[in-house]
């Protein structure tokens, strides 16, 4: 686990931008669609190399997603890149109707999700995006944990025929996956074996879950760590294994505890093999002012907080 | 009730117009029975849009019903998705599916949902129903054609009340900014929305000035005059470098005297006696 703590940190938007350029180079149908979000998506390089394939509709998210649906109708493979808070909330009906219900081949890239915008406040936090989109039939949702997984998730999205939502974090994260790792849509990754309890995490929380497992090891608790980049469709086999083989499940996500990864896991285990669970995330509140790191600590979304929840679960305590 | 078919472009203009007139009447007759059979529908808006939809599908659009996904086809985006009745009748007339299927309109498990689903029905370009969705999609198909240097055109029919949705104005701004002259928007300007007149509810006028200010070429047309509609649709763009905003003056319930301009017929269902009376008026 020390390897994770010591490894270099990356902004996943770099892998996003690099991969999108590479996809565009290989496939002339690939276009980027933005809402004045070239800089915040790090698409300056794309704009220089493929100016005719960058559609900037200005600050207009309903039109952003509708135009993307039309581009897909016209044979393009649009990657819509916009701040996740505005992309998902402002254009929710377009995502439901123009993309999911219509099976439009559009890829939504939600930039800087969760509390990444820190002290800009609750208006800019995107802690409901997974819940909103998870409630929509025929959506695929990916929350990558690191740079390499972000790039591979984009490639998987490009190969998948239909709408996909990929969260792309700006918070610096270490590499959590082994070199040579291959992302597979709908498949979880067991980052660490363990027999006592299972920690299920995605996005920025994956590295923290690994750190928590190291702390738990010192406590004499053998924690399994499951990385769950695809929230929809969920890897139900991996959850069934966790429920059958360990004494409980702790989920961790940079998202509200209502309707995201924790809910998806709970929905499965409660009707198949009920086990004690703890769902860690942003509690059902609008976050106060603070940097992203401060907010994550404030809400216990760090190694110590995850460890505390795991110990409490195993001791049968609440909290 | 027999449906019309597509009208050969090589025919003389007068012959094409004569056939269009008869086709539109046949479509209206079928629509009355359709809504009566389903016990649900939006007959007022169907009849207001019939001449526009008939002219496009039967005489203008470059389509291949045998290959509905033909990449070079013209795009018709029906933004006022509640007028699914007239859209389905037009698609069946154009040969996209067996007219027999119309009998299933809105029945359980029918592909002919109350609002169109492109996954279920060949020829439907966009799933619409919630208002203000079609125009942004049409802007997207027009940009795609422009990127490809293709000659295919996009036509988008919007209701007038629908223009109260803000998404349309985002799309109008983007299309004007980009000078999408392969895009034509037709406003079904019947003046009525579900509950009352548009001008009493949330004023649209001066509508043409608004579109002009957004960078569009604006034309006014009688939305029930096939000759005028044909001339317009075959002549776009009106002005090179600008998208065309056609305000089509129409009457809700057009063709059936007791329905015309009556707000109640937005989604009232005609009884069999009313269908018979309407069909009689529409049979010359």
């Amino acid at each position: 686990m020390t390897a994770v703590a010591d490894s270099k940190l990356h902004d996943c938007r770099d892998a996003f931008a690099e991969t999108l350029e590479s996809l565009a180079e290989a496939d002339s149908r690939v276009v980027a669609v933005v809402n004045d979000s070239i800089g915040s998506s790090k698409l300056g390089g794309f704009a220089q190399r493929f100016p005719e394939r960058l559609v900037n509709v200005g600050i207009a998210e309903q039109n952003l997603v509708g135009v993307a649906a039309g581009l897909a109708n016209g044979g393009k493979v649009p990657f819509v890149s916009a701040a996740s808070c505005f992309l998902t909330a402002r254009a929710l009906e377009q995502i439901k109707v123009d993309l999911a219900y219509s099976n439009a081949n559009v890829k939504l890239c939600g930039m800087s999700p969760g509390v990444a915008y820190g002290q800009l406040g609750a208006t800019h936090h995107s802690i409901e995006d997974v819940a909103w989109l998870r409630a929509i039939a025929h959506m695929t949702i990916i929350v990558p944990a690191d740079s390499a997984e972000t790039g591979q998730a984009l490639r998987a999205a490009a190969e998948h025929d239909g709408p996909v939502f990929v969260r792309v974090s700006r918070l610096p994260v270490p590499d959590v996956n082994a070199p040579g790792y291959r992302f597979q849509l709908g498949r979880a990754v067991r980052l660490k074996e363990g027999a006592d309890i299972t920690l299920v995490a995605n996005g920025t929380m994956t590295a923290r879950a690994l750190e928590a497992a190291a702390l738990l090891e010192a406590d004499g608790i053998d924690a399994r760590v499951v990385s769950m980049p695809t929230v929809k469709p969920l890897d139900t086999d991996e959850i069934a294994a966790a429920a059958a083989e360990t004494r409980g499940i702790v989920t961790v996500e940079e998202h509200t505890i209502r309707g995201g990864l924790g809910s998806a896991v709970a929905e499965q285990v409660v009707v198949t093999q009920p086990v004690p669970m703890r769902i860690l995330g942003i509690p059902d509140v609008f976050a106060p002012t603070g940097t992203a790191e401060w907010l994550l600590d404030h809400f216990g979304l760090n190694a110590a907080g995850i460890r505390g929840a795991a110990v409490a679960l195993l001791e049968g305590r609440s909290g | 009730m027999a449906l019309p078919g597509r009208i050969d472009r090589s025919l003389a203009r007068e012959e094409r117009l004569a056939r269009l007139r008869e086709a539109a009447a046949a479509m209206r007759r079928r629509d009355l029975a359709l809504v009566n059979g389903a016990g649900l529908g939006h007959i007022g808006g169907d009849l207001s849009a019939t001449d526009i939809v008939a002219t496009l599908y039967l005489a203008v659009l470059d389509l291949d019903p045998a290959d509905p996904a033909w990449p070079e086809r013209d795009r018709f985006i029906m933004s006022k998705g509640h007028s699914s009745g007239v859209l389905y009748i037009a698609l069946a007339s154009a040969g996209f599916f067996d007219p027999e299927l119309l009998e299933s309109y809105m029945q359980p498990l029918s592909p002919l949902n109350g609002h169109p689903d492109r996954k279920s029905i060949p020829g439907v370009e966009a799933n619409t129903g919630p208002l203000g969705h079609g125009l942004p999609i049409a802007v997207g198909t027009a940009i795609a054609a422009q990127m490809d240097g293709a000659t295919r055109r996009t036509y988008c029919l919007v209701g007038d009340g629908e223009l109260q949705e803000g998404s349309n104005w985002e799309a109008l701004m983007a299309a004007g900014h980009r000078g999408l002259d392969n895009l034509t928007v037709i406003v079904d300007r019947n003046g009525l929305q579900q509950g009352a007149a548009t001008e009493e509810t949330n004023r649209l006028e001066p509508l043409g000035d608004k579109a002009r200010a957004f960078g569009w070429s604006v034309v006014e047309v009688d939305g029930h005059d096939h000759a005028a509609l044909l001339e317009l649709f075959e002549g776009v763009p009106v002005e090179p470098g600008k998208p065309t905003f056609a305000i089509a003056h129409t009457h809700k319930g057009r063709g059936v005297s007791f329905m015309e301009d009556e707000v109640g017929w937005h989604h009232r269902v005609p009884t069999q006696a009313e269908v018979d009376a309407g069909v009689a008026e529409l049979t010359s």
Side-chain angles (χ1 to χ4, degrees):
Chain A
M1 295 317 107
T2 48
V4 165
D6 295 345
S7 78
K8 204 163 168 270
L9 301 177
H10 301 281
D11 178 336
C12 291
R13 291 176 301 167
D14 293 317
F16 159 77
E18 189 184 311
T19 307
L20 193 55
E21 282 182 48
S22 159
L23 287 168
E25 203 171 79
D27 185 346
S28 62
R29 299 172 307 155
V30 169
V31 298
V33 192
V34 297
N35 60 340
D36 191 22
S37 46
I38 295 172
S40 55
S41 302
K42 296 206 170 199
L43 288 177
F46 187 102
Q48 277 202 324
R49 290 181 65 189
F50 308 102
E52 72 292 350
R53 283 154 69 185
L54 179 75
V55 180
N56 188 350
V57 301
I59 306 161
E61 289 73 27
Q62 297 184 76
N63 194 42
L64 177 79
V65 174
V67 164
L71 286 164
N73 177 303
K76 306 299 176 191
V77 183
F79 282 72
V80 179
S81 181
S84 202
C85 53
F86 310 129
L87 172 62
T88 56
R90 202 81 180 238
L92 190 58
E93 191 179 78
Q94 278 75 15
I95 293 172
K96 169 190 162 187
V97 177
D98 304 359
L99 306 190
Y101 181 41
S102 302
N103 188 31
N105 193 23
V106 172
K107 319 305 167 186
L108 299 174
C109 307
M111 295 288 130
S112 308
V115 295
Y117 277 121
Q119 55 274 58
L120 295 191
T123 53
H124 285 55
H125 297 161
S126 191
I127 60 168
E128 308 90 354
D129 49 7
V130 173
W132 286 330
L133 270 57
R134 202 171 69 83
I136 298 174
H138 197 60
M139 276 302 299
T140 294
I141 301 174
I142 311 174
V143 184
D146 63 15
S147 266
E149 195 165 69
T150 300
Q152 291 195 33
L154 277 186
R155 290 186 183 279
E159 283 165 22
H160 177 81
D161 182 21
V164 181
F165 173 61
V166 185
R167 260 183 156 199
V168 180
S169 184
R170 67 161 63 208
L171 297 180
V173 286
D175 296 334
V176 298
N177 289 292
Y181 161 70
R182 292 290 304 158
F183 168 80
Q184 286 177 278
L185 196 61
R187 293 287 294 276
V189 189
R190 203 173 295 183
L191 292 176
K192 179 185 172 302
E193 291 294 346
D196 292 331
I197 191 165
T198 304
L199 311 179
V200 179
N202 63 19
T204 54
M205 292 299 110
T206 313
R208 286 165 171 83
L210 282 167
E211 289 169 25
L215 296 180
L216 288 165
E217 204 166 323
D219 297 333
I221 295 170
D222 185 20
R224 178 180 296 185
V225 180
V226 170
S227 168
M228 190 65 78
T230 312
V231 181
K232 188 174 183 174
L234 194 70
D235 186 340
T236 52
D237 290 345
E238 186 63 16
I239 297 304
E245 297 163 12
T246 67
R247 290 159 56 199
I249 298 173
V250 177
T251 62
V252 203
E253 60 198 302
E254 189 189 340
H255 186 272
T256 170
I257 56 171
R258 308 286 180 227
L261 173 66
S263 298
V265 172
E267 285 162 15
Q268 181 190 339
V269 300
V270 78
V271 294
T272 53
Q273 187 157 9
V275 290
M277 271 191 74
R278 294 292 183 277
I279 295 176
L280 304 186
I282 317 295
D284 198 4
V285 298
F286 292 110
T289 307
T291 65
E293 287 296 330
W294 185 89
L295 287 170
L296 294 176
D297 285 341
H298 175 72
F299 291 123
L301 296 174
N302 52 23
I306 299 166
R307 172 209 203 177
V311 170
L313 181 150
L314 289 172
E315 290 178 353
R317 291 187 281 113
S318 61
Chain B
M1 280 183 212
L3 286 179
R6 298 196 75 192
I7 297 162
D8 194 334
R9 268 185 213 152
S10 63
L11 291 171
R13 188 170 186 80
E14 281 315 307
E15 177 61 19
R16 290 172 80 198
L17 291 172
R19 291 191 187 195
L20 254 181
R21 269 191 297 278
E22 182 42 46
M27 287 171 61
R28 284 189 164 94
R29 293 193 295 265
R30 184 69 190 87
D31 211 335
L32 291 173
L34 186 83
V35 174
N36 170 265
L40 207 59
H42 291 85
I43 192 67
D46 278 0
L47 296 179
S48 128
T50 300
D51 298 300
I52 296 160
V53 174
T55 304
L56 284 167
Y57 271 102
L58 303 183
V60 175
L61 297 175
D62 206 3
L63 300 165
D64 182 1
D67 180 12
W70 173 45
E72 295 310 317
R73 69 191 184 280
D74 288 335
R75 291 339 192 245
F76 173 72
I77 311 287
M78 178 67 134
S79 192
K80 44 177 288 188
H82 56 283
S83 292
S84 58
V86 66
L87 176 65
Y88 294 152
I89 290 168
L91 288 169
S93 299
F96 281 94
F97 60 83
D98 186 341
E100 284 284 309
L101 192 57
L102 291 169
E103 298 296 331
S104 76
Y105 184 48
M106 284 200 254
Q107 298 306 307
L109 297 180
S110 170
L112 301 177
N113 189 58
H115 296 94
D117 177 5
R118 70 180 196 142
K119 306 188 305 302
S120 302
I121 289 293
V124 172
E125 295 287 355
N127 293 15
T128 51
L131 299 173
H133 281 244
L135 191 41
I137 295 171
V139 171
T141 63
I143 294 173
Q146 194 185 53
M147 281 178 172
D148 292 345
T151 55
R152 59 182 187 263
R153 289 169 171 171
T154 296
Y155 299 85
C156 178
L157 179 62
V158 300
D160 52 359
E162 176 176 9
L163 288 172
Q164 290 158 359
E165 291 281 5
S167 52
N168 291 304
W169 299 93
E170 295 182 1
L172 286 166
M173 195 185 298
H177 174 79
R178 291 176 167 271
L180 296 174
D181 63 5
N182 57 356
L183 172 62
T184 299
V185 165
I186 307 111
V187 181
D188 186 357
R189 187 75 175 109
N190 57 40
L192 294 176
Q193 55 195 93
Q194 177 170 302
T198 60
E199 301 314 280
E200 290 167 16
T201 309
N202 194 12
R203 188 169 60 247
L204 298 178
E205 296 300 338
L207 184 56
D209 288 345
K210 288 174 180 165
R212 223 171 273 119
F214 277 58
W216 290 62
S217 285
V218 177
V219 289
E220 312 246 351
V221 63
D222 177 344
H224 301 304
D225 179 340
H226 302 113
L229 290 169
L230 194 59
E231 188 180 354
L232 169 67
F233 295 149
E234 291 185 333
V236 289
V238 172
E239 207 176 331
K242 284 188 178 184
T244 300
F245 190 88
I247 301 172
H249 296 282
T250 56
H251 297 276
K252 219 161 180 172
R254 171 72 172 199
V256 179
S257 56
F258 54 89
M259 293 183 180
E260 279 192 24
D261 299 323
E262 288 291 334
V263 73
W265 280 102
H266 176 79
H267 54 200
R268 213 186 114 186
V269 176
T271 62
Q272 188 56 53
E274 287 166 334
V275 171
D276 293 343
V279 167
E281 286 189 30
L282 289 160
T283 308
S284 51

